[in-house]
Amino acid sequence: MATTGDKGEDDRPVLSIVAPCYNEEAVLPETARRLIGVLEGLVGNRLISPQSMVLFVDDGSSDRTWELIENLHATEPSVKGLKLARNVGHQYALLAGLHRAGCCSDCVVSIDADLQDDVSAIEAFVKKYHEGYDVVYGVRRKREKDSFFKRQSAQGFYRLMRRMGVDIVYDHADYRLLSRRVLKHLEDFREANLFLRGIIPLIGFPSTCVYYDRMERFAGTSKYPLKKMLAFAFDGITSFSVKPIRVVTFLGMMMLVVSLSAGLYLAAQGLIGQPVPDGSFLMFSIWFVGGVNLLGIGLNGEYMGRIYREVKDRPKYIVERDLLASEPAGGRSLPGLPGSSGKGAALPESGGATVPGQVIWESPEVTL
């Protein structure tokens, strides 16, 4: 998309669409085609600047995903790429893209690369941004495409998160628009146990919702099987609430009451001469109390493990290649960048800012 010197166009916001990718070679060409079409339509409607872009974040893919991103970048300048040195997971890959795009954009839309989110809703996002909203949540209108199990488990997850005290938008995944100032404050959230769906509402600023219909995956297979979905849900609960520990404490108190009541009952039965089953209640008590103890120890261990991860403060991701960079990696660390002393090089300047708080490394034998 060509640039222009017209003052009216210069005043339009620069939009970046960030799409994390993990082994998405089957769907990536179609995703790029649709997102580029969205950008061109928005530029044509004078809603965004011609400098707007699509940023694909390769989360350590083992297929041809990065090769396709490089080819797209060579033929379409509005397509950029960020290659992570290894697979770090969807939330960290998304965070890497938000950090990088936030350096050179007025607003950023995050979307999964599988095309299940309706890309046509991006225009509504941008219009809400022009109305003054800093956060625009993409919310699914219905879940008819999901299986019965996935639909019920998702609804149960959102209800559970609300009861745990987590401020979360119902039926919202990671399809959203964030303004530059929201992205700036997002840099202040440095926890290792990342759950963006819970973090974004904590930032505040004017927000609204845009409703859309969820679609079938265009190609490839889901990168969120049941095991990852359960782990993601558990991360969200333990990252934002201590209620599980309080529940265990309550269970312990209830067991104490039940045990004392049972002891008084057995004593009364013995005093009035009624037979008491040998060892039955004792066996029940041992197994039940043992289970509660193990549950409590496990939950406390889970929280201690998360504190351990936070205290180590390791980098959340490492960038191997950056197609937004204006020059090849020079290997110098910018002063004042947390975690950059002797560990890696900060990103070359592009948009006048660096990725906050991350260690960046680029292979010296690879040229852009």
Side-chain angles (χ1 to χ4, degrees):
M1 289 178 282
T3 60
T4 176
D6 183 78
K7 178 63 177 174
E9 291 187 352
D10 290 343
D11 290 340
R12 289 181 286 170
V14 175
L15 169 68
S16 292
I17 302 176
V18 174
C21 306
Y22 178 64
N23 293 341
E24 298 287 5
E25 65 174 342
V27 72
L28 193 60
E30 179 64 17
T31 302
R33 184 187 70 82
R34 294 191 190 183
L35 293 179
I36 291 171
V38 168
L39 287 185
E40 291 175 344
L42 292 173
V43 171
N45 292 332
R46 305 182 62 82
L47 291 172
I48 62 173
S49 167
Q51 301 294 335
S52 301
M53 65 179 177
V54 178
L55 175 61
F56 290 110
V57 182
D58 180 18
D59 185 20
S61 299
S62 57
D63 61 1
R64 296 177 57 248
T65 295
W66 179 249
E67 179 184 342
L68 292 175
I69 293 173
E70 287 186 308
N71 293 339
L72 288 165
H73 173 67
T75 57
E76 178 51 68
S78 63
V79 175
K80 311 296 182 182
L82 198 67
K83 179 177 173 59
L84 304 186
R86 68 176 183 88
N87 176 251
V88 295
H90 177 271
Q91 293 289 280
Y92 288 149
L94 176 56
L95 185 68
L98 293 176
H99 282 163
R100 191 67 184 97
C103 297
C104 49
S105 307
D106 296 302
C107 54
V108 176
V109 170
S110 59
I111 187 173
D112 290 340
D114 56 13
L115 292 178
Q116 288 189 276
D117 297 319
D118 185 4
V119 299
S120 64
I122 294 176
E123 182 173 351
F125 287 10
V126 175
K127 289 180 178 178
K128 291 295 184 182
Y129 171 78
H130 280 285
E131 292 175 11
Y133 292 101
D134 288 279
V135 182
V136 183
Y137 299 104
V139 179
R140 301 173 191 177
R141 187 175 286 112
K142 50 191 175 182
R143 285 182 169 269
E144 293 180 352
K145 303 291 185 181
D146 293 343
S147 65
F148 176 80
F149 173 77
K150 187 172 183 179
R151 183 166 58 251
Q152 295 300 317
S153 60
Q155 292 174 352
F157 167 72
Y158 286 110
R159 286 194 293 266
L160 179 61
M161 292 294 286
R162 286 289 183 87
R163 292 188 177 184
M164 291 289 179
V166 182
D167 185 11
I168 188 171
V169 178
Y170 188 79
D171 266 349
H172 162 70
D174 287 300
Y175 190 24
R176 65 177 77 89
L177 178 145
L178 303 176
S179 69
R180 180 194 290 269
R181 64 173 179 171
V182 173
L183 291 168
K184 177 64 177 177
H185 287 284
L186 181 61
E187 298 171 8
D188 298 329
F189 290 80
R190 299 180 178 275
E191 57 254 49
N193 304 300
L194 194 63
F195 187 66
L196 290 173
R197 299 182 199 182
I199 290 176
I200 300 300
L202 291 178
I203 298 176
F205 297 117
S207 63
T208 188
C209 296
V210 168
Y211 295 88
Y212 69 97
D213 292 325
R214 183 80 164 171
M215 302 178 182
E216 294 284 355
R217 184 181 177 87
F218 179 79
T221 58
S222 173
K223 305 306 183 296
Y224 258 90
L226 178 61
K227 181 179 179 181
K228 284 190 175 182
M229 288 177 61
L230 292 175
F232 181 68
F234 194 69
D235 283 344
I237 293 171
T238 54
S239 295
F240 282 85
S241 177
V242 296
K243 286 189 177 181
I245 291 182
R246 293 175 181 172
V247 168
V248 173
T249 303
F250 177 75
L251 285 176
M253 294 173 62
M254 290 299 297
M255 275 306 304
L256 178 61
V257 173
V258 170
S259 299
L260 291 174
S261 300
L264 293 174
Y265 171 77
L266 292 174
Q269 289 289 90
L271 289 174
I272 63 177
Q274 295 293 329
V276 178
D278 294 336
S280 59
F281 189 78
L282 178 62
M283 183 62 67
F284 166 77
S285 300
I286 292 174
W287 280 82
F288 193 81
V289 173
V292 172
N293 284 335
L294 289 175
L295 180 61
I297 292 172
L299 279 174
N300 280 281
E302 185 69 30
Y303 278 97
M304 290 177 64
R306 292 175 185 277
I307 294 172
Y308 175 64
R309 289 181 60 194
E310 297 287 352
V311 169
K312 287 189 295 185
D313 195 27
R314 290 177 177 173
K316 299 174 180 64
Y317 55 82
I318 297 175
V319 174
E320 180 180 345
R321 294 286 305 280
D322 175 25
L323 299 183
L324 279 81
S326 58
E327 61 185 54
R332 72 182 182 93
S333 296
L334 296 182
L337 182 66
S340 63
S341 56
K343 295 182 181 179
L347 281 172
E349 291 187 4
S350 177
T354 57
V355 179
Q358 308 304 327
V359 177
I360 311 300
W361 176 87
E362 294 202 28
S363 175
E365 66 270 8
V366 180
T367 57
L368 297 181

